Amino acid sequence: MRCIICHDYRIEVMEVKEEVTVGNDIVYVPVRIPVCQTCGERYYDRRTFQFLEDVE
Ligand SMILES: [Zn+2]
């Protein structure tokens, strides 16, 4: 897998805290997703995206 932003190959699955806005509050939800180690671009799959929508 290659990063679409910086074209590097250093993409690793990491646990990150995703910021989700719920009304006037911001909550941090831990998710495991591939993250580019070079530029920090995050790659969401459909399931993760759905999960975050469910949280909202
Ligand atoms: Zn990158």
Side-chain angles (χ1 to χ4, degrees):
M1 187 174 173
R2 197 170 170 185
C3 180
I4 58 166
I5 306 297
C6 66
H7 303 143
D8 210 335
Y9 290 94
R10 295 178 58 221
I11 294 174
E12 289 175 24
V13 175
M14 299 172 54
E15 188 165 293
V16 296
K17 289 212 168 23
E18 188 57 38
E19 201 176 291
V20 178
T21 307
V22 183
N24 294 321
D25 294 323
I26 295 170
V27 294
Y28 293 93
V29 183
V31 289
R32 282 181 66 82
I33 52 168
V35 180
C36 176
Q37 302 299 297
T38 304
C39 73
E41 179 69 8
R42 296 173 178 188
Y43 293 91
Y44 300 97
D45 58 25
R46 285 177 70 99
R47 238 177 62 210
T48 306
F49 202 73
Q50 188 63 50
F51 170 70
L52 290 171
E53 284 198 334
D54 288 348
V55 172
E56 283 182 43

